[in-house]
Amino acid sequence: MIKKCLFPVAGYGTRFLPATKAMPKEMLPIVDKPLVQYAVEEAAEAGLSDLGFVTGRGKRAIEDHFDVNYEMEHQIEGTGKESALEGIRSLIDNCSFSYTRQINMNGLGDAILKGETLIGDEAFGVVLADDLCIGEGVGVLAQMVGLYRQYRCSILAIEEVPHDQTSSYGVIDGEKISDNLMRVTNMVEKPDPKDAPTNLAIIGRYILTPDIFDIIRGTPPGKNGEVQITDALLSQAQSGCVMAYKFKGQRFDCGSVEGFVDATNYYYEKVYNRNR
Ligand code: UTP
């Protein structure tokens, strides 16, 4: 079964400058927990415990977060503050963490290809930490792992977005399999609303079969001169099978200031206050 998950975290996060000048975007907290920890928790919940990160310059705080801090932890030992570290300690105890670097930020497709060394020849999950997802019942990645068991092909999480926002997403079209599932037949990266085949946008959750690495290797740079995972996935859909899954739950685009603020308000009201 799927055990590995890749977290591409090499992007510059320019929409959050100056906050991201010396700090990774993925370490921005939603209330009291960094985005990347929510992402790792979702993967662990789905049974993926072998975690690989594609990092870049200035991202070392992510590695430090998934490690112990002896001095500080010794300092708060036996105090009420210790309980705040229970979640992260459990992740550290139950998962393995490996890292590789993307040297030039040539796009998400390129970042995923750089992760090949951590993944090898097996199906794997991909989580973009700046899309914060709250699954209905179970997490979004866990929902997708269930589908992978059934279909054994790449699976993309999608959601309906307002038509005028298609130019911010990879957009798919396909044949309906059931209410929540489509077999992908077409895909366009960041289309103008007038050229978008649908308003079904790919969000930051994927399950990919390992043939994707060779496909990415053969994919020339696309939109914005970057190697686009959408282009590689279209080739995969044309030669094999790619499914698009309308997940059950809610997504916050924490790569944008508006989505980040919405997620903060949601967590403060629904989760943080309840847990105190
Ligand atoms: P984004 O499109 O959000 O780019 O990438 P970004 O650079 O992080 O943010 P802005 O637009 O400058 O504010 C989506 C995901 O893909 C990763 C990012 O880290 C993010 O999780 N990514 C993107 C890479 O790892 N490498 C890349 O070359 C591009």
Side-chain angles (χ1 to χ4, degrees), residues 231-273:
D231 295 339
L233 284 166
L234 179 57
S235 304
Q236 196 180 41
Q238 285 165 343
S239 61
C241 175
V242 174
M243 295 287 189
Y245 169 59
K246 221 186 266 181
F247 64 93
K248 296 193 178 78
Q250 199 177 347
R251 174 192 73 109
F252 294 101
D253 173 12
C254 295
S256 75
V257 172
E258 297 76 14
F260 185 86
V261 171
D262 288 347
T264 302
N265 289 332
Y266 177 92
Y267 267 88
Y268 184 67
E269 281 161 28
K270 296 256 164 58
V271 185
Y272 185 79
N273 282 333

Side-chain angles (χ1 to χ4, degrees), residues 2 49 52 54 61 82 90 100 106 108 114 127-128 130 134 145 148 175 177 187 190 199 208-209 218 223 239-240 269:
I2 304 185
S49 56
V54 181
E82 234 182 339
S90 154
T100 190
N106 288 335
L108 181 56
K114 292 292 178 288
V127 174
L128 305 186
D130 46 8
I134 294 140
V145 167
Y148 175 77
E175 297 155 1
I177 305 275
M187 230 179 287
K190 300 190 169 71
N199 65 334
L208 301 177
T209 51
K223 199 121 193 176
S239 61
E269 281 161 28

Side-chain angles (χ1 to χ4, degrees), residues 131-244:
D131 267 344
L132 179 57
C133 290
I134 294 140
E136 219 174 271
V138 289
V140 174
L141 206 59
Q143 296 171 29
M144 295 168 73
V145 167
L147 282 174
Y148 175 77
R149 271 196 208 113
Q150 208 177 334
Y151 291 97
R152 301 273 156 183
C153 64
S154 289
I155 297 170
L156 322 175
I158 52 165
E159 77 172 7
E160 284 184 45
V161 297
H163 274 282
D164 61 357
Q165 288 177 21
T166 56
S167 58
S168 302
Y169 296 93
V171 171
I172 68 121
D173 199 359
E175 297 155 1
K176 189 169 164 179
I177 305 275
S178 68
D179 274 355
N180 295 325
L181 199 64
M182 290 173 97
R183 192 177 193 283
V184 174
T185 53
N186 191 16
M187 230 179 287
V188 193
E189 181 62 19
K190 300 190 169 71
D192 256 20
K194 65 175 170 29
D195 304 322
T198 65
N199 65 334
L200 299 171
I202 305 172
I203 63 129
R205 299 291 181 278
Y206 308 75
I207 288 181
L208 301 177
T209 51
D211 53 315
I212 197 71
F213 294 125
D214 274 340
I215 300 175
I216 299 173
R217 254 187 289 281
T219 302
K223 199 121 193 176
N224 304 330
E226 295 182 337
V227 179
Q228 299 291 351
I229 189 63
T230 312
D231 295 339
L233 284 166
L234 179 57
S235 304
Q236 196 180 41
Q238 285 165 343
S239 61
C241 175
V242 174
M243 295 287 189

Side-chain angles (χ1 to χ4, degrees), residues 7-203:
F7 300 86
V9 291
Y12 290 125
T14 52
R15 283 170 287 172
F16 274 90
L17 283 170
T20 47
K21 183 162 178 277
M23 186 184 81
K25 168 171 80 171
E26 298 76 12
M27 286 302 293
L28 290 171
I30 298 298
V31 185
D32 54 3
K33 201 194 288 183
L35 281 168
V36 70
Q37 187 176 334
Y38 289 98
V40 165
E41 285 173 352
E42 188 183 327
E45 184 217 359
L48 281 56
S49 56
D50 201 341
L51 312 177
F53 294 76
V54 181
T55 73
R57 285 177 292 283
K59 298 276 182 169
R60 269 200 214 137
I62 295 174
E63 292 176 52
D64 290 339
H65 187 69
F66 295 106
D67 199 346
V68 286
N69 178 341
Y70 285 112
E71 210 175 305
M72 185 268 285
E73 291 181 37
H74 177 69
Q75 195 69 237
I76 65 170
E77 214 174 308
T79 75
K81 291 178 183 166
E82 234 182 339
S83 63
L85 292 179
E86 276 167 11
I88 182 76
R89 275 191 188 150
S90 154
L91 292 174
I92 294 169
D93 289 345
N94 294 305
C95 301
S96 72
F97 298 83
S98 7
Y99 302 87
T100 190
R101 276 196 182 206
Q102 186 185 23
I103 304 298
N104 299 306
M105 307 329 161
N106 288 335
L108 181 56
D110 178 66
I112 290 174
L113 183 57
K114 292 292 178 288
E116 182 179 20
T117 174
L118 305 176
I119 298 295
D121 192 23
E122 56 190 279
F124 60 104
V126 175
V127 174
L128 305 186
D130 46 8
D131 267 344
L132 179 57
C133 290
I134 294 140
E136 219 174 271
V138 289
V140 174
L141 206 59
Q143 296 171 29
M144 295 168 73
V145 167
L147 282 174
Y148 175 77
R149 271 196 208 113
Q150 208 177 334
Y151 291 97
R152 301 273 156 183
C153 64
S154 289
I155 297 170
L156 322 175
I158 52 165
E159 77 172 7
E160 284 184 45
V161 297
H163 274 282
D164 61 357
Q165 288 177 21
T166 56
S167 58
S168 302
Y169 296 93
V171 171
I172 68 121
D173 199 359
E175 297 155 1
K176 189 169 164 179
I177 305 275
S178 68
D179 274 355
N180 295 325
L181 199 64
M182 290 173 97
R183 192 177 193 283
V184 174
T185 53
N186 191 16
M187 230 179 287
V188 193
E189 181 62 19
K190 300 190 169 71
D192 256 20
K194 65 175 170 29
D195 304 322
T198 65
N199 65 334
L200 299 171
I202 305 172
I203 63 129

